[in-house]
Amino acid sequence: MDISRIRALRGPNLWTRHTAIEAMVLCQGQECDLSTAPDFEQRLRHLFPGLGQLRTTQQGAVLSMAHAIEDATLHMQIAAGCPVTFSRTTLTPEAGMYQVVVEYTEEDVGRLALELAQALCQAAWDNTTYDMDAALAQLSALDEDIRLGPSTNSIVEAALVRGIPYRRLTEGSMVQFGWGSKQRRIQAAETDSSSAIAEAIAQDKDLTKKLLHAAGVPVPQGRPVLDANDAWVASQAIGTPVVVKPRDGNQGKGVTVNISTREEIEAAFHNAAKFRDEVMVERFLPGSDYRLLVVGDKLVAAARREPPLVIGDGQHTVSQLVERVNADPRRGEGHSTSLTKIRFDDVALARLKEQGLNAQSVPAKGLRVILRNNANLSTGGTATDVTDDVHPEVAARAIAAAQMVGLDVCGVDIVCESVLRPLEAQCGGVVEVNAAPGLRMHLQPSYGKGRDVGKAIMSMLYAPGDDGRIPVIAVTGTNGKTTTVRLTAHLLRTHGLRVGMTNTDGVYVQARQIDSGDCSGPRSARNVLMHPHVDAAVLETARGGMLREGLAFDRCSVAVVTNIGMGDHLGLNYITTVEDLAVLKRMIVQNVATSGMAVLNAADPMVAAMASSCPGQVTFFALDPHQPTLTTHRAQGKRVLFVEDDQLVAAEGKFEIRIPLSHIPLTRSGAIGFQIENAMASVAAAWASAIPWATIARGLSTFVSDAMAVPGRFNVFDYKGATLIADYGHNPDAIKALVQAVTNLPANRRSVVISGAGDRRDEDIRQQTRIIGEAFDDVVLFQDACQRGRADGEVLALLRQGLDGARRTSHIEEIRGEFTAIDAAIDRLTPGDLCLILIDQIEEALAHITRRVQENRSALSAH
Amino acid sequence: MPFPDIQILSTRHLRGPNVWTYRAAVEVWVDIGALEDHPSNTLPGFNQRLQAWLPGMIEHRCSVGVRGGFFQRLLDGTWAAHIMEHVAIELQTMAGLEVGFGKARETHQRGIYKVVVRARQYDVAHASLLAARDLVMAAINDTPFDVAVTVNRLKAMADRLCLGPSTASIVDAAAQQGIPSIRLTEGNLVQLGHGSRQRRIWTAETDRTSAVAESISRDKDLTKRLLAQCGVPIPEGRIVESPEQAWEVAQDMGLPVVIKPSDGNHGRGVALDLNSQAEIEAAWRVADAEGSQVMVERFVRGEEHRLLVVGDQVVAAARGELACITGDGISSVAQLIEQQLNTDPRRGEEEHFPLDTIRLDEQPHAVLELQRQGLAANSIPALGRRVIVQRNGNMSNDVTDLVHPEVAELATLAARVIGLDIAGIDLVAQDISRPLHEQGAAVVEVNAGPSLLMHLKPASGQARPVGHAIANHLFPLKDNGRIPIVGIVGHRHTAALAQLVAWLLHLSGNRVGMACSLGVFMDQRHVDTQDARGHDMGERLLINRSIDAAVFETSPREILLEGLPYDRCHVGLVADMPALDGLQDLDVITADNMRQVVRTQVDVVLREGVAVLNADVSAVAELEDLCDGEVMMYGLNPDSAILGAHRRQGRRSVFCRQGHVTLARGDQETTLLHIDLAPVARLLKHEDMSVSHLLAAVACAWSLGVTPTLMRAGLKNFRQKTESESQEKARMKA
């Protein structure tokens, strides 16, 4: 077998809403029918018992090697702990070529799984060995490495529950939520409003203490002391019992706790002075360590933390006791379980030594042997949820501490006997505040109830009801996409929104073009959704990107499908029929939000049929008020747009609004049918986005479709009293619509300049001139710069064939070069004529035409 | 026989407004001993020596009021303590801390003086006073004194202890807007404003500077990716696998290009400004030899610029100077740097120099830059060869006015994309006055906490008030960050008075902090029981972010020892003249001495504030002329001479008429309640609460806009509630 192309579908796609790996798998001979190789499946199962049931989803399909790879890729990910379920294999029209699609949660894990699955299947086929354990270990190590850590993941999960979109910015814990101007960012349990200064303060223990003290939060008061006598003086001022310790010491060296007498304190000073010049005397806080998690102005969780310890039984050695504790199946290695194995290392041994023990000592029954000073879960400590026990006064101090330091997400470490009583009543106090606190101890405490702290953080980032989304309007179809996108964007902009727009000419944010070229793919769309100045996005969504990567958004608020017609670019990427194309373009309709709207052309049966795939509401539009789909929809009281008495009518139930076509310059007072359709689609999209009608009407009246605003879309010029129309139309439907529009415009003689693109089917090229022949007197055929694999003159011949027996055409010219062709047509014009120029190189051709027009104008004024 | 040293008897750090000045000062008491009998004009050669050592004192006008005034006083004869004051001022000024204020005053004891100088930084000011004493003694006794050494020592102290120039520029700008500041650490962390209205800065970072944004700005790749997504031009790069691909990509990207190892944070294997296929393919091989992948990056031609974005505006821009040396065929790179660059008078080690001294061992960037040109510190460049030493070391030429609006817009966008409220955007461009895309310019880095120095002290061009821009960003719309502050001074039971004022403010919805002799109260919670009238305890309230209003009880002793804990207040209440007894040690002997102390409370009232004065004590009422703001009087008798006159002027007053507590503005009167009302009568039975106190508290509350309805309710409720609460607590404890 051979895998020829691998794609990561990073958004909803033709196959699934999930992210997925798509691979082209070529099978040969027996590989195409596994029933001819009966031992293969058995060998495969022997190597990988976790394999699922091999199955086909297409009726009458035969199980192939591709199916085996599909299933192995899926189940290897499952075995590595990834929550994936979707996979599918489809036979293409090419013999032995399959499209295998398998869901992933992490792209790199999905890619590796496919690679490993291929090797596995090959091994089974060749009847050789395969180290399955190593493969799975490699896969889960990669997954563990790149998937989100527990703290970050809890916040992302909370976003998913609320439908807030997210995107990872790094392989680490930096994640962006929301779109455009509603974006927020986190890095683990730090948000974009966590102040850098506050974090610096939290790291400065003395300053933190000073500030907390100022806020009336009890802290262990203390000061540096000069000598043993000063230590005693200080403890008298602070109040005993005290802790004497080296300043900035670590690992508890030289620390003496809970002492009150003069002798003890002086001895402790001398002990501490061995380790550091500066010695601190601090109030001793009796009790246990607690961690209180403050989010915004609320206490959301609290845990009592204990360092890793074992309890003596008078029989076993310390190391045996540790082994027994670690045998607890709840104790794992990483972050995935609620407990982690106790690390029995040098630090633990040193801690034992302080207690007069070693690894081989047998502690007395009931003796608590502490193995580390800190209570981190990752080194074997435990956390017990005490959230419901926290006294309101204790909570108030924790919140005051967080706010004083200025942290929006803050872990407040408290030492006290019990959180059930106010700190002041028990000599408790806050010993530290932590920025970016770990959340695992609250999500999965060793004992007690887990707390949904991710949810609390998410509700601080986004107020209830806010899903972080901006309106996203996706536009697709065979023709009219670009004009619809531009007009829709114009209507939203008229409402004062900052609009991000993608189309085949570039990416625009407000008035600025931030990228150029064909930007109708998901990468450009994602860039718009990332841009902090975007309040609404209007995205031209072309087929190429949908196939290549899937959609850039999980769902949109409005999906507009202008038409499918006879289609375009058929034959590429296994999209061979108009029906296939409709299935592909339907994707944006399928991914409309339940509160969203699909705007569909009722007159195009393929498009109208998409209504049933839409999870939200549907607006139909059609020129003809009597179009049956439209009238039915209207009768049901739903939204429709149509044309009546030279007015664009929008109706929903009893509501009706009319805008005269004469107020919509784009339509040339209603003369250009396809522009009316584009206008209706745009108005429907604006209506669905709750833009007020007065604004919509104003926007329609101010939208100009000239070569500046919408280059290559029905740009009209005057030349010596004749009318020049430049358009980028390049498929039968577009040409049909143009012909229809041109027919509505008065003209003495009609001429056209046309070429054909080499990558279209022969029939499609002939079809273009066949339509032309019915409506134009003069036809100038030209061969464009790029022949896309065709021989010289081949396309011209096809175009000519289409003109055979044309009813209207009386004059045909064949010219090489676009500008020469344009010049030839222009030179023949007399006042009252009309010339349609189907341009190919949009910018260059428009520049050329503009230049010709200006030369003529200045020649006139010179006279 | 030389004169013995002037004795320094005591030293105090007056940290807030005091009897001398509004600002922080150092006060020393000195005993000049026998010099009391020897004014300056009687000491042979003294004046000449002093003037020769400190010629700058010609600028001291002193009481004469003209240039050279102090020298005139020396000629006429003045005493050692006064001279010491002037010398201390001069030494501080020479050390770079310009101060203007100083005073020397006799005490009631012969030969003992109080000498005060303003302290921009306490330790420096204190050291200046000690040095001044030594200098004066040396001049008197005609012994040597090295002025330069002393000044350098003080200068070094100032550099170490004062705020850095970036932070100082913001704090100074804030002060000009009337925004108070409190330095929170010995470093550059400063609080602007008070209580809940405060903001914090740390150099050019604010409390809204996001930590996540800072991490993004430190991740160069992520920064570039985010900027590119939003259409901000960056030097785009691509990994290439072969020399042929490198050439292909280079053509695609547009020449010239840079080729470097993808993990290339060291200079090895980096080649700049490549134009030909041969160069590029050769450079690929060199980079590939470094082991990591090879990256082709667009080479951005031009000079580095730094744009400072504050909020949504570019407030300053500087163009970097390429630091270059030219080879002479003899000297090494290191020597050429010394000869051609470090001799520039703008270069120096300390922070106030606009350009750094270049030391190759401390500047790895310069070493890299040289490596790229195939040179090391000891290489000897050929005669006439131009060598770039630093591309981006210092940005020093102000180009703010040249920045093209579109460039400014993109810089602002870059800061926004990264998420920084204040950012330094580094961009490479040939001409900052043209749009970036026209010249292939690019943003190369976004910096959090940018230095402001290059904009404050550009090597050329106009300095920019970037401190003001940041202060305005933190406090827009003329906000001065102040919370209402009530200061109270009086004779007896002023703590009870403070409690009542705090209670009334608390009822009107404020979280009130109070510091008094009974301790510290926060939002009615008694958090500390030690006497809190000192500066430190008082400052706690102003630091607290959850305090909306603060009430301070002050005593004359605290004013004399430390000064007030706040710079200005909205309400200054003088309830009575404190008794004189017990302040002899602080040289307060006469009624006039006491007046000088108490007036401080009225001096610090803001222009928009109110002095509340007891009309029944004429010495108190007489302070009214000292107040910058409004004066409100209160008294038991509405028709007393003082209160009557005050009322006739149409001004506000509070009094008790036939038992009715009454608010009056001119002859417009509002009756609050009768003092015989049961709860009020109960209140007045306590020995610490008098009718006069009641009137004072009402006047304070009125000054801060507490409504009569609320005052009525509050007076009836005061202490009744706290009593029931303490009963409650007692029950809980039981």
Side-chain angles (χ1 to χ4, degrees), chain B residues 199-213:
Chain B
R199 303 292 309 272
R200 291 178 186 147
I201 56 163
W202 197 323
T203 60
E205 271 175 305
T206 78
D207 47 16
R208 302 240 171 98
T209 302
S210 150
V212 172

Side-chain angles (χ1 to χ4, degrees), chain A residues 84-252:
Chain A
V84 289
T85 54
F86 177 88
S87 70
R88 179 179 171 149
T89 297
T90 317
L91 183 58
T92 71
E94 240 174 279
M97 181 65 87
Y98 297 82
Q99 281 180 304
V100 172
V101 180
V102 184
E103 182 186 354
Y104 68 75
T105 48
E106 291 297 340
E107 183 177 325
D108 290 344
V109 176
R111 285 181 188 270
L112 179 61
L114 177 68
E115 195 184 308
L116 297 171
Q118 187 188 4
L120 168 70
C121 291
Q122 193 65 53
W125 189 261
D126 299 342
N127 198 8
T128 55
T129 57
Y130 186 75
D131 188 346
M132 198 62 209
D133 291 342
L136 288 179
Q138 187 190 354
L139 201 60
S140 45
L142 179 67
D143 185 56
E144 168 103 12
D145 195 32
I146 60 180
R147 74 159 176 241
L148 292 169
S151 297
T152 315
N153 194 53
S154 72
I155 304 170
V156 169
E157 286 293 330
L160 289 176
V161 167
R162 288 182 48 188
I164 297 166
Y166 85 97
R167 190 169 155 194
R168 286 180 75 171
L169 294 182
T170 59
E171 284 180 4
S173 54
M174 197 175 297
V175 179
Q176 177 160 322
F177 297 101
W179 286 334
S181 56
K182 297 181 98 175
Q183 62 185 253
R184 301 294 308 269
R185 292 179 186 146
I186 61 161
Q187 184 168 27
E190 222 177 8
T191 79
D192 51 12
S193 33
S194 301
S195 145
I197 288 185
E199 294 196 355
I201 292 173
Q203 275 156 24
D204 181 336
K205 280 196 170 194
D206 287 343
L207 176 58
T208 300
K209 242 197 234 177
K210 169 177 165 179
L211 294 180
L212 297 193
H213 176 62
V217 175
V219 288
Q221 290 289 349
R223 65 170 173 87
V225 293
L226 303 170
D227 51 35
N229 182 50
D230 193 28
W232 170 245
V233 173
S235 26
Q236 289 312 101
I238 294 161
T240 50
V242 294
V243 182
V244 178
K245 59 180 181 183
R247 198 171 187 184
D248 304 322
N250 63 346
Q251 298 295 352

Side-chain angles (χ1 to χ4, degrees), chain A residues 439-630:
Chain A
L439 305 180
R440 184 174 152 221
M441 71 184 92
H442 309 298
L443 297 165
Q444 286 184 313
S446 321
Y447 308 102
K449 193 171 146 190
R451 303 286 164 171
D452 196 350
V453 294
K455 184 177 166 189
I457 293 173
M458 202 32 72
S459 19
M460 185 177 62
L461 291 176
Y462 290 102
D466 185 351
D467 62 8
R469 290 169 188 267
I470 57 170
V472 170
I473 299 172
V475 179
T476 194
T478 299
N479 291 306
K481 292 189 291 283
T482 301
T483 303
T484 303
V485 162
R486 286 191 179 261
L487 176 53
T488 305
H490 178 76
L491 297 179
L492 299 181
R493 225 177 273 134
T494 308
H495 188 51
L497 293 172
R498 295 173 297 174
V499 180
M501 166 173 85
T502 63
N503 59 34
T504 43
D505 306 332
V507 179
Y508 300 79
V509 171
Q510 294 178 270
R512 219 163 62 79
Q513 183 171 12
I514 66 168
D515 201 354
S516 58
D518 185 348
C519 295
S520 56
R523 194 179 60 87
S524 303
R526 274 198 297 265
N527 289 351
V528 162
L529 296 178
M530 284 290 285
H531 198 293
H533 291 164
V534 169
D535 301 323
V538 186
L539 309 171
E540 181 169 335
T541 309
R543 44 178 285 148
M546 291 195 233
L547 282 170
R548 216 167 42 239
E549 264 196 84
L551 296 175
F553 42 83
D554 59 343
R555 52 185 196 253
C556 56
S557 41
V558 182
V560 181
V561 185
T562 57
N563 47 56
I564 296 292
M566 285 185 265
D568 195 357
H569 301 278
L570 291 179
L572 298 176
N573 288 308
Y574 306 111
I575 300 295
T576 46
T577 63
V578 181
E579 287 75 17
D580 288 345
L581 186 62
V583 168
L584 180 62
K585 301 222 160 180
R586 197 176 67 194
M587 255 166 68
I588 64 164
V589 176
Q590 283 171 321
N591 289 292
V592 162
T594 48
S595 59
M597 178 73 76
V599 174
L600 302 175
N601 186 342
D604 187 322
M606 295 270 195
V607 176
M610 294 177 187
S612 60
S613 310
C614 180
Q617 299 295 305
V618 171
T619 302
F620 276 123
F621 67 90
L623 291 172
D624 178 5
H626 306 298
Q627 203 286 332
T629 306
L630 184 111

Side-chain angles (χ1 to χ4, degrees), chain B residues 103-347:
Chain B
K103 277 260 185 316
R105 285 284 177 275
E106 284 175 282
T107 64
H108 290 89
Q109 277 175 278
R110 180 178 155 84
I112 296 182
Y113 289 79
K114 301 176 206 171
V115 178
V116 185
V117 290
R118 185 181 164 206
R120 281 182 183 274
Q121 204 286 331
Y122 171 74
D123 297 305
V124 180
H126 183 228
S128 305
L129 273 168
L130 297 183
R133 187 260 314 259
D134 296 345
L135 187 147
V136 169
M137 289 316 301
I140 290 172
N141 291 328
D142 193 13
T143 53
F145 190 88
D146 193 330
V147 177
V149 166
T150 303
V151 168
N152 282 337
R153 182 171 55 86
L154 294 173
K155 204 182 265 183
M157 267 183 97
D159 279 340
R160 195 172 70 247
L161 298 171
C162 291
L163 286 176
S166 294
T167 313
S169 75
I170 304 170
V171 172
D172 291 347
Q176 284 178 34
Q177 282 185 44
I179 301 163
S181 62
I182 297 174
R183 190 169 175 183
L184 294 175
T185 58
E186 285 167 11
N188 285 310
L189 179 62
V190 178
Q191 165 184 333
L192 299 176
H194 287 152
S196 61
R197 309 274 301 275
Q198 71 178 273
R199 303 292 309 272
R200 291 178 186 147
I201 56 163
W202 197 323
T203 60
E205 271 175 305
T206 78
D207 47 16
R208 302 240 171 98
T209 302
S210 150
V212 172
E214 283 199 358
S215 346
I216 294 176
S217 72
R218 281 193 297 269
D219 180 339
K220 279 196 170 194
D221 286 338
L222 177 58
T223 297
K224 273 162 86 172
R225 206 163 72 218
L226 291 174
L227 294 181
Q229 281 170 351
C230 295
V232 177
I234 49 142
E236 54 278 8
R238 266 170 65 187
I239 300 289
V240 289
E241 307 293 339
S242 66
E244 296 73 36
Q245 202 196 350
W247 171 237
E248 208 174 288
V249 166
Q251 285 172 291
D252 199 33
M253 212 171 251
L255 298 168
V257 296
V258 177
I259 291 201
K260 59 183 185 183
S262 63
D263 69 349
N265 278 335
H266 49 82
R268 287 153 59 118
V270 179
L272 304 172
D273 200 3
L274 306 174
N275 287 285
S276 70
Q277 181 169 3
E279 276 180 327
I280 288 169
E281 294 190 1
W284 185 90
R285 290 193 183 87
V286 174
D288 187 50
E290 295 298 320
S292 67
Q293 289 178 296
V294 178
M295 165 109 93
V296 178
E297 200 178 84
R298 186 162 67 83
F299 177 72
V300 185
R301 202 178 285 288
E303 283 165 296
E304 285 230 11
H305 293 73
R306 164 60 70 83
L307 272 63
L308 178 67
V309 175
V310 174
D312 54 3
Q313 273 175 30
V314 169
V315 299
R319 189 178 60 230
E321 255 185 5
L322 279 183
C324 291
I325 50 175
T326 309
D328 57 9
I330 304 163
S331 312
S332 70
V333 167
Q335 287 166 332
L336 292 169
I337 290 173
E338 284 307 318
Q339 293 161 16
Q340 300 178 10
L341 296 174
N342 286 343
T343 46
D344 188 329
R346 295 171 302 171
R347 290 191 187 273

Side-chain angles (χ1 to χ4, degrees), chain B residues 56-114:
Chain B
M57 287 204 297
I58 183 78
E59 302 298 334
H60 293 210
R61 306 165 78 90
C62 199
S63 51
V64 182
V66 296
R67 188 165 182 272
F70 175 64
F71 286 167
Q72 185 60 50
R73 292 285 307 274
L74 285 176
L75 282 178
D76 297 346
T78 186
W79 279 262
H82 179 220
I83 300 166
M84 191 177 142
E85 169 221 325
H86 277 272
V87 171
I89 288 174
E90 182 63 13
L91 288 175
Q92 284 199 76
T93 305
M94 288 168 80
L97 293 181
E98 210 171 309
V99 292
F101 178 84
K103 277 260 185 316
R105 285 284 177 275
E106 284 175 282
T107 64
H108 290 89
Q109 277 175 278
R110 180 178 155 84
I112 296 182
Y113 289 79
K114 301 176 206 171

Side-chain angles (χ1 to χ4, degrees), chain B residues 690-702:
Chain B
S690 64
V691 175
S692 180
H693 276 21
L694 212 64
L695 298 176
V698 163
C700 288
W702 193 19

